Each structure stands twice: as C-alpha cells, then as structure tokens.
Amino acid sequence: MSPKQIQRKKAILLDTTRCVGCGACYQACQEQNGQLRPSGDFLNEDLGARTFTVVNNRSGRYVRRMCMHCEVPTCVSVCPVAALEKTAAGPVVYHDRKCIGCRYCMQACPFNVPRYEWTSTTPYVRKCNMCAARQAKGQATACATVCPTGATSFGDREEMIQEARRRILAAPDHYFDHIYGVQEIGGTSVLVISDVPPEQLGLPTRLGNEPLPELTWNVLEKIPTAVACGGVLLSGIWWITNRREEVARAEGKKKRS
Amino acid sequence: MKTRLQLPQITWWRIFLLAVMSVGLYSTYLRFAHGLGASTALRDGFPWGLWIGFDVLCGVALAAGGFTVSAIVYIFHSERFKPIVRPTILTAFLGYLLVIVGLLFDLGHPWRIWHAIIMWNPHSVMFEVAWCVMLYTTVLALEFSPMLFERLGWKIAYKTVHRLTVPLVIMGVLLSMLHQSSLGSLFLILPGKLYPLWYSPWLPIFFFVSAIALGCAMTIFESFLSYRAFRKRLEIDLLADLAKIMAVPLALYLLLKFLDLRGRGVLHLAWEPTYEGRMFLLEIIVGVVTPLVLLLFRRVRYDEFGIFVIACLVVFGTVMNRLNVATTGLEGYAGRYFPSWSEFAVTAMIIAMGFVLFGLAVKYLRVFPAEELRAAGEGLPELPVVTALRRPLTSPALVVLVVAGVLAVAGSGLAYSAFSGRPSDGSASSGTLLPDISRGVTELHLSDVDFISSPDSPGKVTFRHGSHVDFDRPACADCHSGRFSMLSRSSLEGVDMHDEQHCGACHDGQKSFSVTDDCSSCHGN
C-alpha cells in the first residue's frame, strides 16, 4: 500500500457559534490560492471564480460557505471527462487539463458551489480544493490554520465528528443537536454544527441521506440490459415482418403461376 | 464594355437570411473573442441556458424523425412510408450536425469536445449522451451517404451501405432510445433545484416518448415546408397516417404525465397561478391536449393546413417542454434567466444554417423521388389560409383557425400571467439581524508578535493583537489584506515599520496617534 492510500480521511469542522465574522479564513484562502486583492466585502460577497470561501450572515449567524467536499460527490459523478476527482484524503480536486467546459458540475452541485471564469476565453471551473497541496505536505487547510476562534478546525474526519459530539455534549443548551454532513447525501468532508437547525443556515436539508449520484446510476446501470433487450426485440420484429413479406411474395408468385 | 453578372435573385427570404447570418456571425465573434460572459446571460447560478435548452435538447429531439420513420419503414416494414425516409434522414443528419455546432458554442473549451473519447466516466449521463451522439451521428452519416454515393456514381459504395441498412437502422433506434431518454436523465440529479412539475424520476421516459411524437410531427412539418418551398407533392394520406401513429405516443405521454404528477402529489401545482404553473399548462394544453383533440377529426387530419397546424403545435409543445426543464423550472431556485440577444442570434443562425443546408441538399441530391416534384413553372397552390378565408364555411381549416385563434388568445393570456408571476432575481436572503458573537469572542486567541529591532531602535516593539482588535467587530481581513501575510510569517527584516505600508498606515496622527509622536508608546514596552 502506498502512503497515500493509508492516509486518514480528513475533514473540516465549522462551528457557527464560535465564528466572529473576522474574515481571516477568507483572507488566508485568497493568500493560499494566489488571489490576494484589497480586502473585499466577504460578509456580502458570493462565492466566485476568485473567491472560494465567504462568510455570510444567515439568520443572525456567521456561516462560512465553501465546497463541502462530499463523500460521494455529485460533481465527480456528472463530469463526462472525469475532470473532477474525489481523493482518498477527502478533497474533491479539479484537473483543468481534462475539462471541456460543459458546466454540468455547476448545474448538478446541490450546494451550488463551483464557479466559472465567465470573462475568460479559456474558462475553467473554480472552487475550493480543501488545500490539497497543503494537505499533501501534512499541513492543515489555510482557513483552519488562521481561524482565531476555532470556528474552523481541521483534522481526521472521525476525530472531527468526535470533537463536534464533545462540544454538543458539553453545552447542550448552546447547540442544536445535529452534525450536518455526517450523513447528508452520503456525508461530506465539511461538517457544520450550530445553535440553530441547518436549514436556517442556508444548508439544503431535504435531499435525504442517499448520495445524489444514485439517482442517475439507477437509470444508467440499466443501459446494458436495455440495449440487449431492445436489440433482440427490434431484430425480432424485423425478422417477423420480413418473413411475413417473403411468404406473401412467394404465395403471390404461386398464385400467378 | 458590357459584362452581365449573373446575380442571385434577391428575395425577401434571402435578405432575411442574410440579416440572420450577419447578426449570428457577429455574435459568434463575440462568443469566441470575448468569452461566454460577454455573449450570454449565463452566470454561476445559471450555467445552462438557451444553447443547451434549445440548440442541444430541442435539436436532438427535433431530429427524432430519423429513427422514428426509419423504424416504421425498415423494422415494421411499412414500405408505404418509404418516400419520406430520405428527407427525414437528411433532417436528422443535419439536425445532429447542428447540435454539435450548438455545443461548440456552449462548451467553454470547444476544441476539447473529443475528450470524452479517451477520458471516461461511465457514471456520467453526459458521458453516455456524448458517446451516443457521436455514434448516432456516424450512423446517420452512413444512412445519408447513399444519397451522396448515388450522385457521385459510386456504385460499390452505394451497394455496400445499402446492404447495411437494417443493422444500421437497428443501431440507430437503439442509440436514439438511449440518448433521447438520457437527455432527460441529465436532470435527474437536480431534485432540489428543478420545479416539481418537471422534476420526476420518469424524466427519461417522458423525454423518449415525447421524442417519438415529435419525430412524427417534425416529419409532417418538414414535408409541408418542402411542399411549399420545393413544389413537391404533399403525401397527405401518408402524413395523415403518420399523424395517427403520432397520437399514440402523444396520448401515452399525457397519461404518464398525469399519473406521475398525481403519484407524486404535485398535480395541484399545475393549477396554481404561479409562473411555473402557467408555463406548464401552456406546454401541456397547447402542445399535447390540443393536437390530440384535433387529431380526433378525420377532416382536420386529411386537411393539409390542419395537419400542418397539428404538427406545429406538437413541435411547439415539445420545444417548450425542453426549455421549461432546462431553464424555466430552475428559475425558482437560481433566479431569473432570459437569454441575451447574442444567444438568440446564434440560435437563429444555426436554424438558418439548417434550412440552407436542407435546401442545398434538395438542389444537388435526390432527396425526394423525382415524380414527387411538380414540373417547374407550375404555380404554387395558394396558401391554405387564403383558401380558408375565401371559403370559410366549407373548409376544415376553419375549425383549425378557430381553435388556433382561441389558443393564441388563451396562450398569450397564460404567458402574460406567467411572466407577471415570474420570480425576481434570486439574491441570497441574508438576515438583517447582526450576529451575536459573544460566544465566539471568548474563544478568540490572538498571539503577540515580536518585531525585529534595528540597531538604532529606541527599543523592542511587540505588536499586541489585544490592543489593536475591536472585540465587537474583529475584522482580521482589514489589516491582513496583503499587508501582513497570515499563512507564513513574512520577514520584516530591513523594513521601515513606520511607513504607510505598515504601522504608519493607521498611526498617522488621525486614525491613531502618529508614529512620530512619542517613541515610548510602542518601543520598549
């Protein structure tokens, strides 16, 4: 086994009760991705081709928005050329050399995360890659490194889930008892805890716990059967109608002779 | 010197065509020289628009005549329909070529369109569609090739392809079955986004069944236009039978749609006075129910104008369905989308290319059997509308006209009410309530930073976050926007901390005490 395969799966834990909306994550993210620019209005900004995380005010809580790095990512499943990949360590990464620019990933993402370089003539899809390069060096993500309050923390996924449980147990009055991302659409690598239910944070809650790619795979897996049955059926119909015609022709000849 | 140039005749159609082509070409320039952002109304929340909704989804559906009619003729052996095989194959072949042209406009990296051939992802519906479209376009090219070989006199090639007809048709039907339905499956992954009137686990079935109906309708439509444009005889009895065949998938579609909506408990949404509800009713009433009702009348079926109207309604209904699935149904989630003028211009250009290529093919190849073409010079029959107006009571066209008129009024009423109930721009609703950060602040740990002292320094400086951060609003990004790196300690060696890039930025005597005021305020503390 290569060291990559035994790498433990990582996760980011977001705790909205600890977030003070300072924007350190936003700034560090831009610094990490070489997108640094005079301070933007991260509280009112939306994700963009050069903005992989923002802090939005949802129901009076500061809530970070970023790629959730799903365990069974919808974007990875829909990409026709496999330009998106779920790595063993957790990050969903993008291979821009493969991308044809169909933007199905953007259409399909249940969290509405991937962004496009609309103004470019050679546009690429852009989103958070969970600092895959830093992770490969054994470092935490940029956002977790700089967060001054522990609202964003990084570690092994199992440990992060334990930590979230610990926090909820230690202060049950302060938390809504649910860790978003443990089960939602098959689980995500970004976990969220808060003092309010996840729907109030703008997180989709009606998609169930089955990964969305199942929805299409249920249909796609039937294709070989459909082709086989269809082929036999169509050939059969052709054979019958053809035979019927041959018989009719032969009988016609007989009558004439 | 007198030389007479043979100029092409100037007709209104040609002027119109020229205008469409020029605007289209300018939009093409916009698209490829300035990118998708400059040429479309697409945005991050609305990554697919008219080019996918019409040029691709409708393009493929409108070309469905190819597999429908060839299946009827070669697999079900209804040889009577043979005269219309060639024009439908031609329509389908051109249709698929134009779908690919449309795709080249829409893809961000059109020159990588071939990537799916070597970069596989069998879990992607789009991957499957890409392969089917590639293979089916090849099949259509082969099915079309006899027309070309015949013209070139390549007998061996003609015979070879001719012998392959039945396997080719079977392959064509299978491939069409797969990707016509898969275009619907593309949207299966959007359960939270697509409006429930259109999102259904049965989407692939709906797309396939409606494609069969549309295949018949397009054949009728295209026969009628050929009859008007190329003075071809109209095979009214054949088309009436085709219309009867069309009634089957059309009725099945209506039934399935009803069962699906009722089964999912969302039927009531169709009657609600919302944008989506109205657009849905428009699609179903105009595009499915009305043609079904009209098909019940034998006199309408056998009337050349009547059958044309039926075909137009079915085409309208299916086009509307595809656009509703691709754009309307997503507006509630992603906010308003209306195509830019250049998106329309490119689409119009692609449609115009279709007409021109079809015209050229009819001119240079034997698309229609020779006896079908009326002798040149024989005048065109007068437009059915004119006939209907002259003999209003005896013409079945009256029925059609009245129905169409009522529909037009009802339709525009529906459309009007639909647009007035349109969702406004879906800007994220952020709470106006200012978040309570008291709990967060107790967790705030900010370290002190020791600056390096130069030899002439009056004393060591330690930067204390504690005295610089407003704890009611700790805005890290204000100072860390490039000035002070957050991820790696930037080396401050040899830097004059007093300058405007550093401490001097705020310690200027106005925002805070000046760096020149009292050295001991910072140094040696």
Side-chain angles (χ1 to χ4, degrees):
Chain A
M1 245 198 230
S2 71
K4 257 190 182 169
Q5 278 167 304
I6 51 169
Q7 202 172 13
R8 305 272 292 277
K9 203 179 271 175
K10 303 289 181 186
I12 289 176
L13 172 63
L14 303 180
D15 183 341
T16 71
T17 68
R18 291 190 177 200
C19 184
V20 295
C22 75
C25 50
Y26 168 87
Q27 210 59 50
C29 178
Q30 291 188 358
E31 197 179 320
Q32 174 66 31
N33 292 294
Q35 304 160 324
L36 211 59
R37 53 186 186 273
S39 69
D41 184 6
F42 57 90
L43 291 176
N44 291 306
E45 218 177 306
D46 192 6
L47 296 179
R50 285 161 57 78
T51 312
F52 302 159
T53 190
V54 288
V55 185
N56 286 158
N57 178 353
R58 291 271 183 277
S59 323
R61 271 100 197 142
Y62 287 122
V63 184
R64 275 190 69 196
R65 286 200 60 210
M66 60 184 292
C67 175
M68 302 292 281
H69 299 280
C70 306
E71 295 287 281
V72 188
T74 313
C75 58
V76 171
S77 96
V78 300
C79 179
V81 293
L84 288 149
E85 186 200 346
K86 173 80 178 173
T87 56
V92 174
V93 296
Y94 172 68
H95 304 290
D96 53 10
R97 284 191 185 174
K98 288 184 170 183
C99 178
I100 58 173
C102 72
R103 308 187 294 284
Y104 194 12
C105 50
M106 304 174 63
Q107 182 79 294
C109 173
F111 300 101
N112 214 6
V113 164
R115 293 296 186 263
Y116 209 53
E117 296 176 326
W118 294 103
T119 49
S120 168
T121 47
T122 51
Y124 291 102
V125 171
R126 292 287 176 238
K127 67 167 197 70
C128 159
N129 64 4
M130 212 175 162
C131 290
R134 288 177 65 94
Q135 283 201 45
K137 285 187 273 176
Q139 292 172 315
T141 61
C143 53
T145 308
V146 301
C147 181
T149 64
T152 297
S153 31
F154 173 87
D156 289 348
R157 188 166 187 269
E158 285 314 309
E159 247 165 57
M160 288 293 111
I161 293 172
Q162 294 306 324
E163 169 66 18
R165 289 219 178 98
R166 260 197 303 277
R167 286 190 205 172
I168 294 174
L169 271 177
D173 296 343
H174 282 292
Y175 286 99
F176 179 80
D177 188 11
H178 182 76
I179 308 170
Y180 188 92
V182 174
Q183 287 182 327
E184 276 78 6
I185 55 166
T188 58
S189 298
V190 174
L191 310 163
V192 188
I193 52 173
S194 178
D195 59 337
V196 288
E199 56 267 25
Q200 288 193 37
L201 305 175
L203 291 164
T205 50
R206 288 189 208 149
L207 296 172
N209 293 340
E210 286 297 307
L212 294 184
E214 294 290 319
L215 291 170
T216 33
W217 187 243
N218 288 342
V219 175
L220 280 178
E221 67 178 354
K222 295 195 179 81
I223 284 179
T225 324
V227 169
C229 294
V232 170
L233 188 74
L234 289 172
S235 313
I237 294 173
W238 172 79
W239 186 79
I240 291 171
T241 52
N242 192 48
R243 178 82 189 139
R244 200 189 282 156
E245 217 159 78
E246 275 175 9
V247 170
R249 222 177 292 143
E251 279 181 353
K253 254 186 209 164
K254 246 186 238 165
K255 267 181 201 164
R256 250 180 278 138
S257 58
Chain B
M1 230 175 89
K2 278 183 190 171
T3 41
R4 287 191 58 182
L5 273 168
Q6 190 83 44
L7 285 170
Q9 219 182 332
I10 297 171
T11 62
W12 284 112
W13 276 114
R14 287 190 176 148
I15 293 173
F16 180 64
L17 185 72
L18 201 68
V20 168
M21 287 309 232
S22 349
V23 182
L25 283 176
Y26 179 66
S27 305
T28 308
Y29 159 76
L30 270 185
R31 157 67 188 92
F32 290 102
H34 296 280
L36 286 162
S39 51
T40 66
L42 298 175
R43 55 176 193 269
D44 286 323
F46 229 103
W48 289 356
L50 185 71
W51 290 344
I52 291 293
F54 188 86
D55 302 19
V56 176
L57 290 190
C58 295
V60 168
L62 291 170
F67 86 90
T68 316
V69 172
S70 57
I72 294 174
V73 172
Y74 292 106
I75 298 181
F76 292 92
H77 274 89
S78 280
E79 302 270 337
R80 321 193 294 111
F81 289 100
K82 213 161 183 174
I84 54 172
V85 168
R86 280 194 166 193
T88 44
I89 290 290
L90 177 65
T91 313
F93 181 49
L94 294 178
Y96 274 81
L97 289 184
L98 295 175
V99 164
I100 295 170
V101 171
L103 210 52
L104 290 177
F105 273 87
D106 192 75
L107 288 180
H109 288 260
W111 46 90
R112 294 178 175 176
I113 193 166
W114 54 273
H115 272 195
I117 299 174
I118 55 161
M119 299 167 191
W120 284 31
N121 179 13
H123 282 261
S124 166
V125 182
M126 182 89 81
F127 171 78
E128 188 237 315
V129 172
W131 268 91
C132 282
V133 169
M134 271 190 289
L135 291 175
Y136 187 50
T137 309
T138 315
V139 166
L140 280 171
L142 284 170
E143 287 184 321
F144 161 80
S145 66
M147 288 183 236
L148 203 64
F149 295 149
E150 183 185 70
R151 165 83 188 187
L152 295 170
W154 295 2
K155 286 187 183 140
I156 299 173
Y158 178 86
K159 275 185 193 158
T160 315
V161 178
H162 195 75
R163 246 180 247 132
L164 287 173
T165 304
V166 172
L168 278 179
V169 168
I170 292 181
M171 254 181 87
V173 174
L174 286 175
L175 288 168
S176 299
M177 189 177 85
L178 291 186
H179 71 269
Q180 291 285 0
S181 58
S182 290
L183 287 177
S185 310
L186 280 181
F187 295 88
L188 282 178
I189 206 130
L190 308 178
K193 297 186 178 181
L194 189 57
Y195 197 74
L197 281 174
W198 292 289
Y199 182 84
S200 158
W202 294 0
L203 265 169
I205 299 170
F206 290 140
F207 267 54
F208 181 59
V209 175
S210 59
I212 297 175
L214 184 63
C216 301
M218 268 308 279
T219 308
I220 296 168
F221 180 80
E222 163 260 313
S223 276
F224 187 84
L225 289 188
S226 303
Y227 151 73
R228 297 294 310 173
F230 311 119
R231 305 164 179 220
K232 192 180 94 37
R233 189 178 68 85
L234 191 70
E235 313 90 331
I236 190 78
D237 42 341
L238 272 190
L239 298 185
D241 280 358
L242 197 60
K244 236 196 296 190
I245 295 175
M246 174 171 81
V248 178
L250 213 53
L252 182 66
Y253 180 78
L254 190 64
L255 177 73
L256 289 176
K257 200 92 196 175
F258 173 76
L259 290 177
D260 168 56
L261 291 177
R262 207 190 51 175
R264 287 184 298 116
V266 291
L267 193 58
H268 64 279
L269 289 177
W271 313 112
E272 277 175 14
T274 55
Y275 172 54
E276 288 86 359
R278 295 296 192 234
M279 294 297 264
F280 177 79
L281 277 191
L282 202 62
E283 164 197 330
I284 292 291
I285 294 178
V286 178
V288 185
V289 177
T290 318
L292 270 176
V293 172
L294 286 176
L295 278 171
L296 291 175
F297 299 97
R298 194 174 184 281
R299 280 182 64 185
V300 179
R301 256 185 355 246
Y302 279 87
D303 181 74
E304 54 184 54
F305 182 55
I307 201 166
F308 179 63
V309 168
I310 294 175
C312 285
L313 289 174
V314 174
V315 171
F316 171 86
T318 319
V319 166
M320 188 140 177
N321 171 257
R322 300 305 193 258
L323 287 176
N324 279 344
V325 170
T327 62
T328 313
L330 291 166
E331 283 181 272
Y333 175 84
R336 238 169 83 93
Y337 162 79
F338 193 78
S340 71
W341 66 268
S342 38
E343 285 177 86
F344 281 117
V346 166
T347 300
M349 178 180 73
I350 291 176
I351 297 172
M353 279 162 71
F355 278 94
V356 170
L357 289 173
F358 192 89
L360 286 176
V362 170
K363 195 169 171 190
Y364 294 106
L365 305 171
R366 203 165 62 83
V367 175
F368 302 110
E371 63 276 14
E372 298 280 333
L373 296 170
R374 258 180 272 114
E378 193 185 314
L380 272 175
E382 67 181 355
L383 272 171
V385 189
V386 180
T387 326
L389 288 175
R390 194 180 303 151
R391 299 178 281 113
L393 292 174
T394 54
S395 163
L398 184 73
V399 184
V400 177
L401 272 184
V402 169
V403 172
V406 170
L407 272 179
V409 174
S412 41
L414 271 179
Y416 174 77
S417 60
F419 273 81
S420 51
R422 229 175 134 95
S424 56
D425 274 308
S427 52
S429 58
S430 52
T432 43
L433 199 63
L434 209 63
D436 168 25
I437 58 170
S438 52
R439 259 176 69 76
V441 168
T442 58
E443 305 280 348
L444 205 59
H445 57 88
L446 297 166
S447 55
D448 295 343
V449 184
D450 293 328
F451 291 151
I452 304 158
S453 310
S454 60
D456 56 345
S457 169
K460 193 166 171 287
V461 177
T462 299
F463 174 84
R464 295 187 206 287
H465 270 106
S467 56
H468 284 83
V469 173
D470 171 5
F471 282 81
D472 291 331
R473 190 184 159 275
C476 305
D478 281 0
C479 299
H480 286 293
S481 58
R483 200 176 293 146
F484 304 104
S485 167
M486 253 193 284
L487 287 171
S488 52
R489 282 284 161 79
S490 44
S491 166
L492 293 171
E493 208 171 340
V495 171
D496 180 10
M497 293 305 288
H498 299 120
D499 70 14
E500 288 169 8
Q501 294 303 309
H502 301 94
C503 301
C506 298
H507 288 288
D508 57 355
Q510 295 191 353
K511 286 179 208 152
S512 179
F513 64 86
S514 168
V515 282
T516 54
D517 282 355
D518 177 6
C519 297
S520 66
S521 308
C522 305
H523 289 273
N525 271 321

